[in-house]
C-alpha cells in the first residue's frame, strides 16, 4: 500500500513517524470498523493541532490514505501549499462553502476516506468535551451514500495543548483513538440532504460522538 502514497505522504511519513514514536504511546481501538476500500467519512473530535497527525498515522497504518477537509489558506504558495495539494486534501473556502462541499462529495464518490472535524475547530471546552456540531459530515454521508463513522480521540492535547504553540515533548502520553460503528442513517438516506434528515443525522452523530468522548475523558480522569 505504501507504494501508492506518492511523494507527499512519503515526506510526511519519514518526517512525522519517528517524532510520533518518541512523543507518544498509542492505543487504537475498533480498527475493524474502517472499510478497506470505498468512500467513507470519519467524523472526529478535535482537541489539538497535533491530532490530524495521529489520525493520519492510524489511517495510513490500515493501508488507506486520508483526505482532510482543510481551510483554503493552507493551499497557498510554498512547501505547505504543495504538500496539501499533492497529498490529496480537500480545500474549503469558507467564503465559497459550496465549492468545498462539491469537491468533498466528488472525492467520496471516487472512493476517498475523508476526515471531517464536525466541530469546525479545536474544542474550547476545558475538559476537551465535544462542542456543538456543524452539519457537513452528515450532509456528505447522506448525499454520497458513504458510511459515517464516529471517531473519538484523546491524548494529543497532552503533546500540544489546545490553542498553544508550546509542545510538551517529554511526557510521552498515551493517545487513544476509539473508532465507533458506522452511524445508522438508513432511514434518512432516502431523504437525501433534506434539512430534516440532516438535522436528525447530526443529532445522532452528536449524541454518539459525545458519549464516546465522555467515555475517554472519564477513563483518563480529565487528564
Amino acid at each position: 500500500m505504501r507504494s501508492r502514497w506518492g511523494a507527499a505522504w512519503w515526506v510526511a511519513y519519514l518526517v512525522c513517524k519517528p517524532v510520533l514514536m518518541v512523543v507518544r504511546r498509542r492505543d487504537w481501538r475498533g480498527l475493524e470498523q474502517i472499510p478497506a476500500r470505498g468512500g467513507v467519512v470519519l467524523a472526529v473530535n478535535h482537541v489539538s493541532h497535533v491530532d490530524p497527525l495521529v489520525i493520519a498515522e492510524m489511517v495510513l497504518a490500515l493501508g488507506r490514505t486520508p483526505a482532510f477537509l482543510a481551510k483554503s489558506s493552507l493551499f497557498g504558495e510554498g512547501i505547505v501549499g504543495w504538500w496539501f495539494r499533492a497529498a490529496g486534501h480537500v480545500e474549503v473556502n469558507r467564503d465559497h462553502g459550496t465549492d468545498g462541499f462539491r469537491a468533498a462529495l466528488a472525492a467520496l464518490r471516487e472512493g476517498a476516506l475523508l476526515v471531517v472535524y464536525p466541530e469546525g475547530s479545536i474544542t474550547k471546552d476545558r475538559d476537551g468535551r465535544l462542542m456543538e456540531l456543524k452539519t457537513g459530515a452528515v450532509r456528505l454521508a447522506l448525499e454520497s451514500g458513504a458510511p459515517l463513522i464516529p471517531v473519538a480521540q484523546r491524548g494529543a492535547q497532552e503533546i500540544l495543548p489546545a490553542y498553544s504553540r508550546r509542545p510538551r515533548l517529554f511526557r510521552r502520553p498515551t493517545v487513544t483513538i476509539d473508532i465507533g460503528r458506522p452511524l445508522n442513517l438508513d432511514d434518512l438516506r432516502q431523504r437525501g440532504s433534506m434539512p430534516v434528515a440532516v438535522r436528525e443525522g447530526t443529532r445522532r452523530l452528536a449524541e454518539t460522538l459525545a458519549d464516546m468522548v465522555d467515555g475517554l475523558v472519564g477513563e483518563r480522569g480529565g487528564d
Side-chain angles (χ1 to χ4, degrees), residues 24-209:
R24 63 94 183 97
R25 299 177 178 87
R26 75 184 194 192
D27 174 17
W28 294 348
R29 309 172 185 178
L31 299 179
E32 71 280 0
Q33 301 296 341
I34 296 181
R37 60 185 60 84
V40 59
V41 180
L42 301 189
V44 187
N45 67 305
H46 203 358
V47 298
S48 167
H49 288 300
V50 168
D51 61 53
L53 298 180
V54 300
I55 294 296
E57 177 196 22
M58 178 271 295
V59 172
L60 291 169
L62 294 175
R64 299 210 58 174
T65 305
F68 286 78
L69 292 185
K71 59 186 179 181
S72 57
S73 61
L74 295 172
F75 290 80
E77 300 298 325
I79 191 169
V80 173
W82 166 82
W83 188 85
F84 271 87
R85 289 188 297 273
H89 300 304
V90 178
E91 181 177 1
V92 177
N93 185 327
R94 292 183 178 178
D95 295 328
H96 302 87
T98 56
D99 293 342
F101 183 84
R102 289 170 184 163
L105 194 59
L108 284 171
R109 288 172 173 164
E110 292 172 3
L113 185 150
L114 193 65
V115 180
V116 179
Y117 289 107
E119 295 166 280
S121 64
I122 294 172
T123 181
K124 296 178 175 64
D125 184 88
R126 186 178 63 180
D127 295 324
R129 287 184 164 85
L130 200 68
M131 299 191 299
E132 183 177 353
L133 303 190
K134 301 183 183 302
T135 62
V138 171
R139 288 178 60 212
L140 286 167
L142 290 177
E143 289 208 19
S144 68
L148 175 60
I149 299 178
V151 179
Q153 54 92 23
R154 188 160 180 83
Q157 79 285 352
E158 296 182 52
I159 302 171
L160 182 65
Y163 300 102
S164 173
R165 296 183 179 180
R166 295 185 178 183
R168 303 169 178 173
L169 298 179
F170 304 109
R171 297 189 176 190
R172 206 158 187 261
T174 297
V175 176
T176 301
I177 301 175
D178 184 17
I179 304 162
R181 295 179 180 179
L183 205 65
N184 184 0
L185 300 174
D186 291 346
D187 60 318
L188 303 179
R189 291 192 187 279
Q190 61 184 350
R191 303 181 186 180
S193 59
M194 291 177 60
V196 64
V198 172
R199 286 195 300 269
E200 173 58 19
T202 303
R203 184 196 66 78
R204 295 179 192 179
L205 175 61
E207 184 178 274
T208 300
L209 191 53

